[in-house]
Amino acid sequence: PRVQQFADSVKRLLGRQFAVPVGRGRDAIIVALRALDIQSTDEVVLPSYICISVLNAVIQAGGRPVFADVDESLHVTVRTVESVLTSRTRCVIVPHLFGNTAPVDEIEALLRGRGIPLIDDAAQGFGARRAGRPIGAFGEFGIVCGGPGKPLATAAGGLLLMDDPELYRKVLRIALPPESSRAILQRTVAFWFWRRFRRYTLLLQMILWRFDGDSEELPTDPHSL
């Protein structure tokens, strides 16, 4: 009940029609891309400065990542996104970093004219607004998730938001393998350590990555990219 209450509250806050709870933000991106029927030849545009979880989600969903340059704010711009669009572009992901906002309203207008779906990733900027609208409310999909260092400071969890009833029905039919108990325990312990020893976040994260057998490393095969 609390998960559904959270989903309904965020849905109303962002003005979205549908909200689907997910285990983490990476899962939300994977589900969104699969709902868009991304194929191995389809290009997914994302910033050159990006959280590795977003990049891995594109690869896991079967898409081909294409990087758009960022400006001094570390966000993509209309110009940098437009410069990498091709006939194979199937989706663009626009994250908002460090509580600041990318020009997602301008990018949305650019993509709408070309029929290219947009994923508005508000994981690091939940609560911020752009052009009078909350981020996460732009594009075909919005993403909200929690984690250490995010506005929603939780161990994990998040939401995939959308307005299209057909996309919502497709999302509900997509199944992801459940996380192992070990992975859940590890993230919970990591969150506790972050709350208790946040000044040592980088060191602790490096130690966890070193001993994590299910780490989010990129594939070693260059052809997989």
Side-chain angles (χ1 to χ4, degrees):
R2 291 184 178 180
V3 172
Q4 190 58 53
Q5 183 181 15
F6 169 68
D8 291 341
S9 297
V10 174
K11 179 178 67 176
R12 288 193 299 270
L13 179 67
L14 300 186
R16 288 288 197 174
Q17 295 298 312
F18 307 102
V20 177
V22 292
R24 48 187 174 175
R26 183 175 66 175
D27 293 338
I29 295 174
I30 293 172
V31 171
L33 293 177
R34 289 183 178 174
L36 294 173
D37 299 318
I38 294 295
Q39 305 298 316
S40 59
T41 56
D42 294 333
E43 295 177 350
V44 179
V45 175
L46 60 162
S48 57
Y49 183 83
I50 190 67
C51 172
I52 193 173
S53 295
V54 179
L55 175 58
N56 279 350
V58 173
I59 296 171
Q60 285 184 253
R64 179 181 292 272
V66 172
F67 298 103
D69 205 357
V70 297
D71 64 8
E72 63 277 3
S73 73
L74 301 180
H75 293 99
V76 292
T77 67
V78 173
R79 180 183 59 80
T80 61
V81 169
E82 187 173 21
S83 68
V84 298
L85 297 180
T86 71
S87 60
R88 297 183 298 275
T89 304
R90 189 68 181 84
C91 181
V92 174
I93 302 175
V94 177
H96 306 269
L97 302 178
F98 311 118
N100 299 315
T101 61
V104 65
D105 53 322
E106 301 171 14
I107 296 172
E108 181 185 54
L110 169 71
L111 300 180
R112 186 185 298 118
R114 304 186 182 213
I116 300 174
L118 167 68
I119 297 177
D120 184 11
D121 183 354
Q124 291 192 37
F126 179 67
R129 300 179 70 86
R130 179 84 185 188
R133 297 164 60 189
I135 60 171
F138 296 86
E140 279 66 26
F141 289 103
I143 292 173
V144 170
C145 70
K150 293 188 174 68
L152 292 173
T154 63
L159 297 171
L160 178 62
L161 302 114
M162 69 224 77
D163 299 317
D164 188 321
E166 181 57 33
L167 283 178
Y168 176 63
R169 285 190 287 269
K170 292 180 71 173
V171 163
L172 293 181
R173 293 195 295 266
I174 296 173
L176 292 174
E179 282 191 276
S180 66
S181 298
R182 175 179 175 272
I184 295 173
L185 177 61
Q186 184 182 53
R187 286 193 290 103
T188 303
V189 171
F191 178 64
W192 182 86
F193 267 95
W194 174 78
R195 291 291 299 272
R196 183 65 178 82
F197 306 106
R198 66 182 67 189
R199 70 178 64 182
Y200 308 111
T201 295
L202 180 59
L203 175 62
L204 291 170
Q205 190 65 68
M206 291 174 65
I207 294 173
L208 288 171
W209 280 340
R210 175 64 180 83
F211 294 100
D212 181 8
D214 186 31
S215 63
E216 297 185 6
E217 294 180 357
L218 290 175
T220 56
D221 179 8
H223 298 291
S224 65
L225 296 176

